[in-house]
Amino acid sequence: QVQLVESGGGSVQTGGSLRLSCAASGAFFSIETMRWYRQPPGEQREMVASITAAGSMHYLDDVQGRFSISRDNAKNTVALQMNSLKPEDTAVYYCNADLFIPVTGLRVFWGRGTQVTVSS
């Protein structure tokens, strides 16, 4: 059973930093693109950052220059370093990844989410 498990959420004050991590486990052949999404209270889920297997990265305009996504292909992990946090970054953050799994092929998986709260 494939799982994505996030860690590293918490509460910080404006200007602070947090680092989120996500680890993939289970039976899969490879991991393609890995992403971080967030869902603020009462709003829709939006993609924050993505990174391909080759290391190509993309960011939501609002986090460009403040957040940094990285991955460790040997450990099947992806991280999101969040600096200069603002109250509007408050959300549940979700890990998302495209995995090649036996029989089915390429599938999208989601983690359960981790809460990030930024107070002013």
Side-chain angles (χ1 to χ4, degrees), residues 38-96:
R38 68 184 180 187
Q39 187 165 16
E43 299 184 29
Q44 292 188 339
R45 196 173 297 189
E46 62 182 357
M47 191 177 75
V48 175
S50 66
I51 184 168
T52 67
S56 178
M57 295 169 281
H58 295 277
Y59 296 93
L60 180 70
D61 286 348
D62 185 53
V63 307
Q64 183 77 43
R66 300 189 297 122
F67 291 10
S68 178
I69 190 170
S70 61
R71 66 189 284 170
D72 185 330
N73 292 330
K75 296 182 179 179
N76 298 321
T77 59
V78 62
L80 185 68
Q81 178 65 43
M82 305 184 294
N83 300 325
S84 302
L85 283 161
K86 307 173 183 179
E88 49 264 43
D89 294 319
T90 295
V92 178
Y93 283 71
Y94 296 90
C95 178
N96 166 290

